[in-house]
Amino acid sequence: MASMSRESLLNSIKSLHIAAEKLPDDVFADHHRRHGLQRQLTRLKNDITTAFERVFGEICFQPHQSVATRIALEAKWFEVLADGQPKTAQEIALATNGEPELIARIMMVLTATDVVSEKGPQTYAATPTTQLLLDPGWANGLRHFFDHGGPSLINLPNYLKRNGYRVPQDVKTGPFADAWGGKTPWALFESDPTQAEVFNSFMAKYRDGTRKWTDIFPAKQRLCESLEKSDDAVLLVDIGGGSGHVLLDFVQDPAHRIGRRVVQDLPAALGDVGALKEHNIEAMVYDFFTPQPIKGAKAYYLRAILHDWPDLACREILTITAAAMRKGYSRLLIDELVLPDSDIPPKGAFFDLSMMALQTGAERTSRQWHDLLKSAGLRVVRIWSSDYGLESVIEAELAI
Protein backbone atom coordinates (compact mmCIF):
# COMPACT_ATOMS: atom_id res chain seq x y z
CA MET A 1 0.00 0.00 0.00
CA ALA A 2 1.28 3.47 -0.85
CA SER A 3 2.48 5.64 2.00
CA MET A 4 3.51 9.23 2.57
CA SER A 5 5.97 10.50 5.15
CA ARG A 6 5.20 13.44 7.38
CA GLU A 7 8.16 15.26 5.82
CA SER A 8 6.74 14.82 2.33
CA LEU A 9 3.38 16.07 3.52
CA LEU A 10 4.95 19.17 5.10
CA ASN A 11 6.94 19.85 1.91
CA SER A 12 3.74 19.66 -0.14
CA ILE A 13 2.02 22.08 2.23
CA LYS A 14 4.98 24.47 1.93
CA SER A 15 4.65 24.32 -1.87
CA LEU A 16 0.97 25.16 -1.54
CA HIS A 17 1.86 28.12 0.68
CA ILE A 18 4.33 29.42 -1.91
CA ALA A 19 1.71 29.08 -4.67
CA ALA A 20 -0.91 30.83 -2.54
CA GLU A 21 1.43 33.77 -1.84
CA LYS A 22 1.62 34.43 -5.60
CA LEU A 23 -2.13 34.98 -5.84
CA PRO A 24 -3.49 38.56 -5.86
CA ASP A 25 -5.53 39.90 -2.94
CA ASP A 26 -8.63 39.00 -4.91
CA VAL A 27 -7.93 35.30 -5.35
CA PHE A 28 -10.52 34.95 -8.13
CA ALA A 29 -8.84 37.65 -10.25
CA ASP A 30 -6.04 35.31 -11.41
CA HIS A 31 -7.78 32.28 -12.89
CA HIS A 32 -4.61 30.63 -14.14
CA ARG A 33 -2.81 30.61 -10.77
CA ARG A 34 -6.01 29.77 -8.90
CA HIS A 35 -6.66 26.74 -11.08
CA GLY A 36 -3.04 25.68 -10.65
CA LEU A 37 -3.46 25.85 -6.88
CA GLN A 38 -6.64 23.78 -7.16
CA ARG A 39 -4.70 21.06 -8.97
CA GLN A 40 -2.02 21.05 -6.26
CA LEU A 41 -4.66 20.79 -3.55
CA THR A 42 -6.40 17.92 -5.33
CA ARG A 43 -3.14 16.02 -5.73
CA LEU A 44 -2.24 16.53 -2.09
CA LYS A 45 -5.67 15.26 -1.06
CA ASN A 46 -5.18 12.19 -3.25
CA ASP A 47 -1.67 11.65 -1.86
CA ILE A 48 -3.04 11.38 1.69
CA THR A 49 -5.94 9.14 0.64
CA THR A 50 -5.48 5.38 0.39
CA ALA A 51 -6.28 3.56 -2.82
CA PHE A 52 -9.14 1.77 -1.06
CA GLU A 53 -10.58 5.09 0.14
CA ARG A 54 -10.31 6.53 -3.35
CA VAL A 55 -12.07 3.62 -5.06
CA PHE A 56 -14.71 2.78 -2.46
CA GLY A 57 -15.05 6.18 -0.83
CA GLU A 58 -15.01 8.37 -3.95
CA ILE A 59 -14.93 6.79 -7.42
CA CYS A 60 -17.73 4.30 -6.81
CA PHE A 61 -19.92 7.02 -5.37
CA GLN A 62 -19.28 9.98 -7.68
CA PRO A 63 -22.80 9.84 -9.20
CA HIS A 64 -24.37 10.23 -5.77
CA GLN A 65 -23.65 13.96 -5.51
CA SER A 66 -25.32 14.78 -8.82
CA VAL A 67 -28.25 12.46 -8.01
CA ALA A 68 -28.83 14.15 -4.64
CA THR A 69 -28.47 17.63 -6.18
CA ARG A 70 -30.93 16.74 -8.94
CA ILE A 71 -33.46 15.52 -6.36
CA ALA A 72 -33.14 18.66 -4.23
CA LEU A 73 -33.41 20.89 -7.29
CA GLU A 74 -36.62 19.31 -8.53
CA ALA A 75 -38.13 19.08 -5.04
CA LYS A 76 -37.51 22.86 -4.68
CA TRP A 77 -35.59 22.46 -1.42
CA PHE A 78 -32.97 24.96 -2.59
CA GLU A 79 -35.69 27.56 -3.06
CA VAL A 80 -36.60 27.28 0.63
CA LEU A 81 -32.96 28.11 1.49
CA ALA A 82 -32.83 31.08 -0.89
CA ASP A 83 -33.24 33.74 1.82
CA GLY A 84 -29.95 32.71 3.41
CA GLN A 85 -31.51 31.76 6.74
CA PRO A 86 -30.96 28.26 8.21
CA LYS A 87 -33.92 25.90 7.84
CA THR A 88 -34.62 22.58 9.49
CA ALA A 89 -35.67 19.48 7.58
CA GLN A 90 -39.10 19.92 9.15
CA GLU A 91 -39.37 23.51 7.85
CA ILE A 92 -38.27 22.46 4.36
CA ALA A 93 -40.82 19.65 4.44
CA LEU A 94 -43.64 22.01 5.43
CA ALA A 95 -42.73 24.44 2.64
CA THR A 96 -42.52 21.75 -0.07
CA ASN A 97 -45.02 19.13 1.10
CA GLY A 98 -42.10 16.78 1.65
CA GLU A 99 -41.01 14.24 4.24
CA PRO A 100 -38.42 15.33 6.84
CA GLU A 101 -36.73 11.91 6.94
CA LEU A 102 -36.14 11.84 3.18
CA ILE A 103 -34.92 15.45 3.17
CA ALA A 104 -32.44 14.68 5.95
CA ARG A 105 -31.07 11.63 4.11
CA ILE A 106 -30.58 13.46 0.82
CA MET A 107 -29.12 16.45 2.65
CA MET A 108 -26.50 14.16 4.21
CA VAL A 109 -24.96 13.81 0.76
CA LEU A 110 -25.27 17.51 -0.03
CA THR A 111 -23.72 18.68 3.24
CA ALA A 112 -20.94 16.07 2.99
CA THR A 113 -20.01 17.55 -0.42
CA ASP A 114 -20.57 21.22 0.59
CA VAL A 115 -23.41 21.79 -1.85
CA VAL A 116 -25.43 22.80 1.22
CA SER A 117 -24.08 23.97 4.59
CA GLU A 118 -25.02 22.11 7.79
CA LYS A 119 -25.74 24.48 10.69
CA GLY A 120 -26.82 21.88 13.25
CA PRO A 121 -28.69 18.58 13.48
CA GLN A 122 -30.94 18.45 10.40
CA THR A 123 -30.50 22.21 9.93
CA TYR A 124 -29.30 23.60 6.61
CA ALA A 125 -28.30 26.82 4.87
CA ALA A 126 -27.46 27.82 1.33
CA THR A 127 -23.90 27.99 0.02
CA PRO A 128 -22.70 29.85 -3.10
CA THR A 129 -23.25 26.57 -4.97
CA THR A 130 -26.86 26.43 -3.79
CA GLN A 131 -27.38 30.06 -4.81
CA LEU A 132 -25.94 29.39 -8.29
CA LEU A 133 -28.41 26.55 -8.81
CA LEU A 134 -31.28 28.92 -8.00
CA ASP A 135 -30.55 30.61 -11.34
CA PRO A 136 -32.78 28.89 -13.95
CA GLY A 137 -30.04 28.87 -16.59
CA TRP A 138 -27.47 27.12 -14.39
CA ALA A 139 -30.13 24.80 -12.98
CA ASN A 140 -30.94 23.77 -16.54
CA GLY A 141 -27.27 23.01 -17.04
CA LEU A 142 -27.54 20.38 -14.33
CA ARG A 143 -30.75 19.09 -15.89
CA HIS A 144 -29.10 18.88 -19.32
CA PHE A 145 -26.03 16.93 -18.23
CA PHE A 146 -28.00 14.72 -15.84
CA ASP A 147 -31.20 14.10 -17.81
CA HIS A 148 -29.81 14.12 -21.37
CA GLY A 149 -26.21 13.09 -20.90
CA GLY A 150 -26.68 10.76 -17.92
CA PRO A 151 -28.26 7.81 -19.74
CA SER A 152 -25.64 8.06 -22.48
CA LEU A 153 -22.73 8.19 -20.02
CA ILE A 154 -24.08 5.23 -18.05
CA ASN A 155 -24.43 3.32 -21.32
CA LEU A 156 -20.95 4.29 -22.56
CA PRO A 157 -18.93 1.35 -21.12
CA ASN A 158 -21.33 -1.20 -22.64
CA TYR A 159 -21.52 0.71 -25.93
CA LEU A 160 -17.73 0.89 -26.32
CA LYS A 161 -17.32 -2.78 -25.44
CA ARG A 162 -19.90 -3.80 -28.08
CA ASN A 163 -18.14 -1.63 -30.65
CA GLY A 164 -14.61 -2.92 -30.06
CA TYR A 165 -13.44 0.08 -28.01
CA ARG A 166 -13.30 2.45 -30.98
CA VAL A 167 -13.94 6.21 -30.91
CA PRO A 168 -17.59 6.77 -31.98
CA GLN A 169 -17.78 8.36 -35.42
CA ASP A 170 -21.47 8.69 -36.26
CA VAL A 171 -23.97 10.55 -34.08
CA LYS A 172 -26.81 8.51 -35.62
CA THR A 173 -25.37 5.31 -34.18
CA GLY A 174 -23.33 6.78 -31.32
CA PRO A 175 -23.66 6.40 -27.55
CA PHE A 176 -26.52 8.89 -27.24
CA ALA A 177 -28.63 7.30 -29.97
CA ASP A 178 -27.85 3.88 -28.52
CA ALA A 179 -29.17 4.96 -25.12
CA TRP A 180 -32.15 6.95 -26.45
CA GLY A 181 -33.75 4.47 -28.84
CA GLY A 182 -32.03 5.77 -31.97
CA LYS A 183 -32.63 9.49 -31.34
CA THR A 184 -29.82 12.03 -31.73
CA PRO A 185 -29.79 14.98 -29.29
CA TRP A 186 -31.30 17.23 -31.94
CA ALA A 187 -34.04 14.69 -32.74
CA LEU A 188 -34.84 14.50 -29.02
CA PHE A 189 -35.11 18.28 -28.79
CA GLU A 190 -37.30 18.44 -31.89
CA SER A 191 -39.67 15.80 -30.49
CA ASP A 192 -39.88 17.39 -27.04
CA PRO A 193 -39.80 21.21 -26.95
CA THR A 194 -39.46 21.24 -23.15
CA GLN A 195 -36.15 19.39 -23.46
CA ALA A 196 -35.02 21.89 -26.09
CA GLU A 197 -35.91 24.74 -23.73
CA VAL A 198 -33.72 23.22 -21.01
CA PHE A 199 -30.76 22.96 -23.38
CA ASN A 200 -31.20 26.42 -24.93
CA SER A 201 -31.61 28.05 -21.52
CA PHE A 202 -28.38 26.50 -20.31
CA MET A 203 -26.43 27.43 -23.45
CA ALA A 204 -27.59 31.05 -23.24
CA LYS A 205 -26.50 31.20 -19.60
CA TYR A 206 -23.18 29.52 -20.35
CA ARG A 207 -22.44 32.10 -23.06
CA ASP A 208 -23.16 34.87 -20.57
CA GLY A 209 -20.94 33.22 -17.98
CA THR A 210 -17.84 32.97 -20.18
CA ARG A 211 -15.68 35.63 -21.73
CA LYS A 212 -16.61 37.07 -25.11
CA TRP A 213 -14.39 35.98 -27.96
CA THR A 214 -13.55 39.62 -28.67
CA ASP A 215 -12.10 39.87 -25.15
CA ILE A 216 -9.58 37.24 -26.24
CA PHE A 217 -9.13 38.03 -29.93
CA PRO A 218 -8.33 41.62 -31.08
CA ALA A 219 -10.85 41.80 -33.91
CA LYS A 220 -10.26 45.47 -34.69
CA GLN A 221 -6.53 44.99 -35.31
CA ARG A 222 -6.68 41.53 -36.89
CA LEU A 223 -9.79 41.94 -39.05
CA CYS A 224 -11.27 45.43 -39.32
CA GLU A 225 -8.05 47.29 -40.12
CA SER A 226 -7.23 44.97 -43.03
CA LEU A 227 -10.72 44.67 -44.53
CA GLU A 228 -10.60 45.38 -48.26
CA LYS A 229 -12.06 48.70 -49.45
CA SER A 230 -15.18 47.53 -51.21
CA ASP A 231 -18.91 48.10 -50.68
CA ASP A 232 -19.43 44.34 -50.95
CA ALA A 233 -16.60 43.35 -48.60
CA VAL A 234 -17.65 40.77 -46.00
CA LEU A 235 -16.04 41.28 -42.62
CA LEU A 236 -17.37 38.25 -40.73
CA VAL A 237 -19.40 35.13 -41.51
CA ASP A 238 -20.74 33.39 -38.40
CA ILE A 239 -21.24 29.80 -39.56
CA GLY A 240 -23.85 27.91 -37.55
CA GLY A 241 -24.48 31.07 -35.56
CA GLY A 242 -28.07 30.35 -34.56
CA SER A 243 -30.13 33.44 -33.92
CA GLY A 244 -27.11 35.71 -34.33
CA HIS A 245 -26.31 36.49 -30.69
CA VAL A 246 -22.55 36.57 -31.42
CA LEU A 247 -22.86 39.13 -34.20
CA LEU A 248 -25.41 41.19 -32.28
CA ASP A 249 -22.87 41.47 -29.49
CA PHE A 250 -20.03 42.05 -31.98
CA VAL A 251 -21.62 45.16 -33.50
CA GLN A 252 -22.03 46.79 -30.09
CA ASP A 253 -18.47 48.05 -30.66
CA PRO A 254 -18.61 50.86 -33.27
CA ALA A 255 -15.22 49.75 -34.63
CA HIS A 256 -16.83 46.51 -35.81
CA ARG A 257 -19.61 48.18 -37.80
CA ILE A 258 -17.85 48.01 -41.15
CA GLY A 259 -18.32 45.67 -44.08
CA ARG A 260 -21.01 43.03 -44.27
CA ARG A 261 -21.74 40.75 -41.32
CA VAL A 262 -23.54 37.50 -42.06
CA VAL A 263 -24.97 34.79 -39.80
CA GLN A 264 -25.63 31.38 -41.35
CA ASP A 265 -27.65 28.46 -40.00
CA LEU A 266 -30.60 26.18 -40.68
CA PRO A 267 -34.04 27.84 -40.76
CA ALA A 268 -35.19 26.60 -37.34
CA ALA A 269 -31.99 27.87 -35.71
CA LEU A 270 -32.12 31.31 -37.34
CA GLY A 271 -35.63 31.99 -36.05
CA ASP A 272 -36.89 35.58 -36.15
CA VAL A 273 -34.34 37.72 -38.01
CA GLY A 274 -35.94 41.08 -37.23
CA ALA A 275 -33.32 42.05 -34.65
CA LEU A 276 -30.56 41.15 -37.09
CA LYS A 277 -31.93 43.44 -39.80
CA GLU A 278 -32.11 46.33 -37.34
CA HIS A 279 -28.33 46.02 -36.89
CA ASN A 280 -27.53 45.49 -40.58
CA ILE A 281 -26.70 41.83 -40.05
CA GLU A 282 -27.60 39.50 -42.91
CA ALA A 283 -29.28 36.16 -42.18
CA MET A 284 -28.62 33.31 -44.60
CA VAL A 285 -29.97 29.77 -44.62
CA TYR A 286 -26.98 27.46 -44.86
CA ASP A 287 -25.89 23.91 -44.03
CA PHE A 288 -22.15 23.81 -43.28
CA PHE A 289 -21.82 20.44 -45.02
CA THR A 290 -22.60 22.15 -48.35
CA PRO A 291 -20.40 24.54 -50.39
CA GLN A 292 -19.92 27.93 -48.71
CA PRO A 293 -21.73 30.56 -50.85
CA ILE A 294 -19.78 33.54 -49.52
CA LYS A 295 -16.35 33.60 -51.09
CA GLY A 296 -13.34 35.57 -49.93
CA ALA A 297 -14.68 36.96 -46.66
CA LYS A 298 -12.19 38.49 -44.27
CA ALA A 299 -13.14 35.98 -41.55
CA TYR A 300 -15.21 32.85 -41.13
CA TYR A 301 -16.18 32.15 -37.53
CA LEU A 302 -17.13 28.84 -35.89
CA ARG A 303 -18.21 28.86 -32.25
CA ALA A 304 -18.72 25.55 -30.41
CA ILE A 305 -19.44 23.78 -33.70
CA LEU A 306 -16.51 21.45 -34.22
CA HIS A 307 -16.58 19.95 -30.74
CA ASP A 308 -19.97 18.48 -31.69
CA TRP A 309 -18.40 16.36 -34.43
CA PRO A 310 -15.76 13.63 -34.82
CA ASP A 311 -12.62 14.34 -36.85
CA LEU A 312 -13.96 13.04 -40.17
CA ALA A 313 -16.95 15.38 -40.12
CA CYS A 314 -14.81 18.28 -38.86
CA ARG A 315 -12.39 17.76 -41.72
CA GLU A 316 -15.30 18.00 -44.16
CA ILE A 317 -16.59 21.24 -42.59
CA LEU A 318 -13.10 22.76 -42.55
CA THR A 319 -12.29 21.70 -46.14
CA ILE A 320 -15.53 23.24 -47.40
CA THR A 321 -14.80 26.48 -45.54
CA ALA A 322 -11.18 26.56 -46.74
CA ALA A 323 -12.39 26.33 -50.34
CA ALA A 324 -14.16 29.68 -49.90
CA MET A 325 -11.18 31.45 -48.30
CA ARG A 326 -8.75 33.73 -50.11
CA LYS A 327 -5.05 33.04 -49.77
CA GLY A 328 -3.20 35.65 -47.72
CA TYR A 329 -6.38 37.50 -46.78
CA SER A 330 -9.09 35.34 -45.24
CA ARG A 331 -8.97 34.03 -41.70
CA LEU A 332 -10.78 31.15 -40.04
CA LEU A 333 -11.62 31.77 -36.38
CA ILE A 334 -12.50 28.77 -34.20
CA ASP A 335 -13.95 29.67 -30.81
CA GLU A 336 -13.55 26.48 -28.77
CA LEU A 337 -11.76 24.93 -25.84
CA VAL A 338 -8.08 24.20 -26.50
CA LEU A 339 -6.79 21.62 -24.05
CA PRO A 340 -3.11 21.46 -23.12
CA ASP A 341 -1.22 18.55 -24.66
CA SER A 342 -0.59 17.11 -21.19
CA ASP A 343 -1.76 17.64 -17.61
CA ILE A 344 -5.30 18.32 -18.81
CA PRO A 345 -7.47 19.83 -16.05
CA PRO A 346 -10.65 18.03 -14.93
CA LYS A 347 -12.98 20.50 -16.67
CA GLY A 348 -11.44 19.77 -20.06
CA ALA A 349 -11.34 16.02 -19.50
CA PHE A 350 -14.96 15.86 -18.30
CA PHE A 351 -16.18 18.04 -21.17
CA ASP A 352 -14.43 15.76 -23.65
CA LEU A 353 -16.10 12.63 -22.29
CA SER A 354 -19.45 14.44 -22.27
CA MET A 355 -19.05 15.38 -25.93
CA MET A 356 -18.23 11.77 -26.81
CA ALA A 357 -21.33 10.56 -24.99
CA LEU A 358 -23.67 13.29 -26.25
CA GLN A 359 -22.56 14.00 -29.81
CA THR A 360 -19.72 11.64 -30.75
CA GLY A 361 -17.76 14.90 -30.61
CA ALA A 362 -14.55 15.84 -28.81
CA GLU A 363 -12.68 18.58 -27.02
CA ARG A 364 -9.22 18.78 -28.58
CA THR A 365 -5.68 19.47 -27.47
CA SER A 366 -3.45 22.07 -29.10
CA ARG A 367 -1.65 19.33 -31.05
CA GLN A 368 -4.91 17.80 -32.23
CA TRP A 369 -6.15 21.20 -33.46
CA HIS A 370 -2.93 21.75 -35.41
CA ASP A 371 -3.19 18.29 -37.00
CA LEU A 372 -6.89 18.63 -37.82
CA LEU A 373 -6.47 22.02 -39.49
CA LYS A 374 -3.41 20.81 -41.42
CA SER A 375 -5.43 17.89 -42.78
CA ALA A 376 -7.91 20.41 -44.27
CA GLY A 377 -5.25 22.56 -45.94
CA LEU A 378 -5.10 25.15 -43.16
CA ARG A 379 -2.45 26.23 -40.70
CA VAL A 380 -2.67 27.76 -37.25
CA VAL A 381 -1.52 31.39 -37.18
CA ARG A 382 -2.00 31.76 -33.44
CA ILE A 383 -4.05 30.39 -30.56
CA TRP A 384 -5.44 33.26 -28.49
CA SER A 385 -6.22 32.03 -24.98
CA SER A 386 -8.08 33.53 -22.04
CA ASP A 387 -6.86 33.65 -18.47
CA TYR A 388 -8.83 30.47 -17.91
CA GLY A 389 -6.36 28.68 -20.18
CA LEU A 390 -9.00 26.60 -22.02
CA GLU A 391 -11.42 29.04 -23.69
CA SER A 392 -9.56 30.10 -26.82
CA VAL A 393 -9.84 31.50 -30.31
CA ILE A 394 -7.80 29.66 -32.95
CA GLU A 395 -6.77 31.93 -35.81
CA ALA A 396 -6.01 29.97 -38.99
CA GLU A 397 -5.30 30.67 -42.66
CA LEU A 398 -4.83 28.72 -45.89
CA ALA A 399 -1.59 26.76 -45.76
CA ILE A 400 -0.92 26.80 -49.52
Side-chain angles (χ1 to χ4, degrees), residues 4-24:
M4 184 181 198
S5 69
R6 183 176 62 181
E7 182 179 358
S8 295
L9 174 60
L10 289 172
N11 286 335
S12 295
I13 294 173
K14 288 176 183 176
S15 295
L16 285 169
H17 183 77
I18 292 170
E21 284 186 325
K22 294 178 180 178
L23 287 166

Side-chain angles (χ1 to χ4, degrees), residues 253-286:
D253 186 336
H256 300 159
R257 297 173 195 162
I258 61 171
R260 293 167 57 197
R261 286 90 58 189
V262 183
V263 59
Q264 299 176 325
D265 214 319
L266 300 176
L270 284 171
D272 183 7
V273 299
L276 300 178
K277 291 179 179 178
E278 290 177 12
H279 292 85
N280 295 317
I281 297 170
E282 301 173 39
M284 179 182 292
V285 174
Y286 174 64

Side-chain angles (χ1 to χ4, degrees), residues 128-245:
T129 302
T130 319
Q131 296 290 352
L132 183 83
L133 288 169
L134 288 168
D135 184 297
W138 293 126
N140 280 331
L142 175 64
R143 291 186 177 99
H144 167 62
F145 284 112
F146 189 92
D147 298 356
H148 304 154
S152 183
L153 276 169
I154 292 171
N155 182 51
L156 191 58
N158 183 48
Y159 172 87
L160 292 174
K161 182 178 181 179
R162 285 189 282 108
N163 287 274
Y165 294 103
R166 299 291 186 271
V167 175
Q169 295 294 331
D170 186 349
V171 69
K172 295 178 181 177
T173 59
F176 189 94
D178 191 65
W180 284 87
K183 287 184 178 180
T184 66
W186 309 122
L188 173 67
F189 297 156
E190 287 176 8
S191 66
D192 187 346
T194 59
Q195 301 295 340
E197 289 173 10
V198 166
F199 176 73
N200 291 332
S201 168
F202 166 56
M203 291 308 298
K205 191 66 185 182
Y206 186 77
R207 285 192 296 267
D208 291 343
T210 56
R211 289 195 173 187
K212 300 173 185 176
W213 70 282
T214 47
D215 291 335
I216 303 170
F217 178 80
K220 180 176 181 293
Q221 292 79 13
R222 305 294 289 185
L223 304 180
C224 300
E225 292 179 357
S226 56
L227 180 69
E228 66 181 1
K229 308 301 181 185
S230 166
D231 292 340
D232 200 41
V234 178
L235 175 65
L236 188 63
V237 181
D238 183 3
I239 303 170
S243 59
H245 55 273

